[in-house]
Amino acid sequence: MKQATALKILIIDDEPSICESLQGALHDEGYSAETALSGEEGLRRVATKQIDLVFLDILMPGGIDGIETLRRIKQLSPDTEVIMITGHGSFDLALEAGKLGGLDFLGKPLSLDTVLQKVEREVQKFEIRRSHASEGASLQMIGDSGAMQGIMAKIRQIAPTSGRVLITGESGTGKELIADSIHELSARNQAPLVKVNCAALPDELIESELFGHERGAFTGAANQRVGKFEQADGGTIFLDEIGDTSASTQAKVLRVIEYQEFERVGGEKTIHVDVRIISATNQDLQASIGEHTFREDLYYRLNVVPIHVPPLRERRDDVPLLVNFFLNRFCQENRKPEMACTEPALTILRGYDWPGNVRQLRNLIERLVILCPQQHIDVEDIPEDLFYTDADGINTQSPLRDARHEFEGRFILNCLQANDWNITETSKQLGIERTNLHRKMRHFKLKRDA
């Protein structure tokens, strides 16, 4: 047996014999491997655990097939490598899997030697991937809504180009994440991605920050400073909150766009750069143009490719995916066992408006992971200010605690009735143990004749 490795492997195949034999062989070699008998089950594992390598059957009857499972795995965890396996291989299937990010394509019956060679190759890359795990996690874009799928498709389309991109959306929606993804997928990804928060810099300092300054250019300029545009030469500069820049700064940014050149503050030497500009704002720049606080010519030069990020309240179906992703991430970071969110709790989270968007949801899940003593986040763990007490007939005259109690009891009753009072199926749907469901039924006095 080889020395054990931290590489996490998942086998997804509808044939139990394939799963068991491959899992046993990998365990004998010192690898951690688990199995799933359907695409749906495999996706739940990827959403709630750190999985580094997946062996995925391409043809599975019922539910979703291997190609769709591959697409969703890459959405949930882009760094997870996937090797497709099948007894019915074809060039078209292999080509489609490759386009979706499939690492390789193996035919059945599997050769154990070939499988182990593939795994050993991944082990060699594993330590490198682990060293960048935190950064990689921050680059993942999560969302199955039409809006997010459209944004991801546009990112893949525009990333290889040098087109300037203007990202708009409310604070906390993930505009910086999109800039990260565009740079990482571009031909400039070996050069720097330099970020500037324009709103955080006072007017008297932003030009020095962007373009640098010469020694003695102003009081306190004791040394020459290389600006952000110069640092980003050959790469990408991300101008966050570009709408907060002054008229003077806007004019200089416009010149860089038009001529790819500038002078440092207090300098006479013209500096030439090759920089791709990605900018972002939570303001309505067209309204700012009407108010004469933003240059119209700069707006049109920055807005070559527009990307608008919708607020989380407009893509509520993405909330469960985001919750699972953040639960997995923060459980790992805090060395806690896997945690899950019950269906009633998810219903509350999905119904909230999230004024702070994904950033607010991320912070809440981190707090819950740290503070919840149990492995299931339930309704009683959700902060009271996230409840909508005026929806679905809940008595708005009741205190929030009473409203929460009323909601949970009605939700459990609805699930029991939908499952014809089958305790096993209802507990699975709610994401709680049978004993916990029985306890709640006694607490809410729920009976079949109710």
Side-chain angles (χ1 to χ4, degrees):
M1 179 186 293
K2 293 185 174 70
Q3 184 177 0
T5 174
L7 190 78
K8 299 294 189 300
I9 303 172
L10 174 63
I11 305 155
I12 307 175
D13 196 306
D14 62 295
E15 297 183 54
S17 59
I18 295 291
C19 289
E20 291 170 5
S21 60
L22 187 52
Q23 181 185 40
L26 291 170
H27 281 177
D28 289 344
E29 294 293 321
Y31 298 115
S32 172
E34 55 187 274
T35 64
L37 296 176
S38 67
E40 292 89 343
E41 183 183 359
L43 288 170
R44 286 193 292 270
R45 302 285 181 86
V46 173
T48 58
K49 297 183 177 183
Q50 174 64 44
I51 302 294
D52 303 296
L53 176 63
V54 175
F55 287 92
L56 173 60
D57 188 16
I58 204 166
L59 294 177
M60 291 181 287
I64 59 175
D65 63 13
I67 293 294
E68 178 62 13
T69 302
L70 169 62
R71 184 187 72 80
R72 297 192 190 182
I73 287 174
K74 284 298 181 180
Q75 173 193 322
L76 284 169
S77 180
D79 291 337
T80 297
E81 298 288 9
V82 182
I83 295 176
M84 309 300 292
I85 55 177
T86 184
H88 309 279
S90 74
F91 175 79
D92 289 340
L93 285 175
L95 184 62
E96 188 174 359
K99 288 180 179 178
L100 291 172
L103 179 67
D104 214 332
F105 199 91
L106 301 179
K108 294 179 181 178
L110 293 173
S111 164
L112 182 57
D113 288 340
T114 301
V115 169
L116 293 177
Q117 286 175 8
K118 303 294 184 185
V119 174
E120 287 171 1
R121 183 181 63 187
E122 288 307 301
V123 170
Q124 292 173 3
K125 298 189 295 183
F126 180 69
E127 290 304 322
I128 297 175
R129 292 206 306 272
R130 284 191 69 188
S131 67
H132 297 286
S134 296
E135 179 181 0
S138 70
L139 296 178
Q140 296 187 47
M141 301 194 64
I142 306 298
D144 203 24
S145 62
M148 288 306 297
Q149 290 298 310
I151 289 173
M152 292 181 215
K154 184 176 283 190
I155 288 172
R156 289 190 290 268
Q157 184 179 6
I158 66 176
T161 74
S162 292
R164 292 180 292 279
V165 182
L166 176 61
I167 308 168
T168 58
E170 297 178 5
S171 295
T173 51
K175 299 187 291 295
E176 183 176 340
L177 194 65
I178 291 174
D180 288 335
S181 299
I182 293 171
H183 178 73
E184 286 298 316
L185 295 173
S186 75
R188 297 172 178 263
N189 60 10
Q190 299 303 309
L193 168 61
V194 177
K195 302 177 182 180
V196 183
N197 185 345
C198 300
L201 296 168
D203 290 343
E204 61 270 18
L205 292 181
I206 190 167
E207 290 188 26
S208 172
E209 187 75 14
L210 291 175
F211 308 110
H213 62 251
E214 298 293 348
R215 180 180 179 182
F218 51 83
T219 303
N223 297 292
Q224 183 191 73
R225 178 186 179 88
V226 174
K228 298 298 187 183
F229 271 99
E230 202 169 345
Q231 294 173 28
D233 190 21
T236 305
I237 190 167
F238 176 53
L239 302 177
D240 197 10
E241 301 306 342
I242 185 68
D244 288 286
T245 52
S246 65
S248 173
T249 301
Q250 291 175 33
K252 291 193 175 184
V253 171
L254 182 62
R255 182 187 173 197
V256 175
I257 292 174
E258 291 181 334
Y259 304 108
Q260 294 280 286
E261 66 180 31
F262 59 90
E263 289 84 34
R264 297 191 187 111
V265 176
E268 298 180 354
K269 178 184 176 182
T270 299
I271 299 169
H272 297 270
V273 292
D274 172 22
V275 176
R276 181 184 195 174
I277 298 176
I278 301 175
S279 50
T281 182
N282 60 13
Q283 299 182 24
D284 183 348
L285 290 186
Q286 290 183 312
S288 299
I289 292 169
E291 297 167 357
H292 305 291
T293 58
F294 199 83
R295 294 183 61 126
E296 185 174 19
D297 48 0
L298 177 58
Y299 171 76
Y300 287 116
R301 283 168 173 80
L302 292 173
N303 195 33
V304 174
V305 180
I307 295 179
H308 178 70
V309 192
L312 190 54
R313 63 182 175 275
E314 293 180 7
R315 52 186 186 98
R316 298 179 191 274
D317 288 345
D318 289 338
V319 170
L321 283 174
L322 289 162
V323 168
N324 286 333
F325 173 76
F326 289 132
L327 281 174
N328 181 39
R329 177 176 175 179
F330 292 123
C331 283
Q332 290 182 51
E333 288 185 5
N334 293 281
R335 301 181 182 277
K336 295 194 69 172
E338 297 171 19
M339 297 178 70
C341 201
T342 67
E343 283 298 324
L346 275 177
T347 298
I348 297 294
L349 297 179
R350 193 186 290 112
Y352 183 59
D353 266 354
W354 299 107
N357 292 294
V358 178
R359 184 184 296 126
Q360 182 186 4
L361 175 60
R362 173 192 180 279
N363 292 341
L364 172 68
I365 299 303
E366 183 176 14
R367 184 199 319 162
L368 292 174
V369 167
I370 293 171
L371 296 180
C372 283
Q374 68 277 2
Q375 289 182 256
H376 283 98
I377 296 172
D378 213 338
V379 174
E380 56 262 25
D381 301 310
I382 306 299
E384 291 184 348
D385 56 358
L386 268 64
F387 284 78
Y388 278 105
T389 57
D390 59 349
D392 300 323
I394 296 178
N395 184 0
T396 57
Q397 301 304 312
S398 301
L400 282 175
R401 198 171 300 276
D402 293 342
R404 172 185 292 179
H405 182 276
E406 184 179 344
F407 172 88
E408 185 177 8
R410 189 171 65 254
F411 190 94
I412 294 173
L413 176 61
N414 290 340
C415 289
L416 284 164
Q417 292 172 338
N419 290 294
D420 195 26
W421 292 82
N422 184 305
I423 300 299
T424 300
E425 291 301 317
T426 303
S427 63
K428 287 180 181 178
Q429 183 177 343
L430 294 173
I432 61 178
E433 300 294 333
R434 288 165 52 94
T435 53
N436 194 10
L437 176 56
H438 281 295
R439 179 179 61 80
K440 288 180 178 292
M441 289 173 65
R442 290 192 300 271
H443 176 72
F444 292 110
K445 299 179 180 179
L446 301 178
K447 299 178 181 180
R448 187 168 190 134
D449 56 357

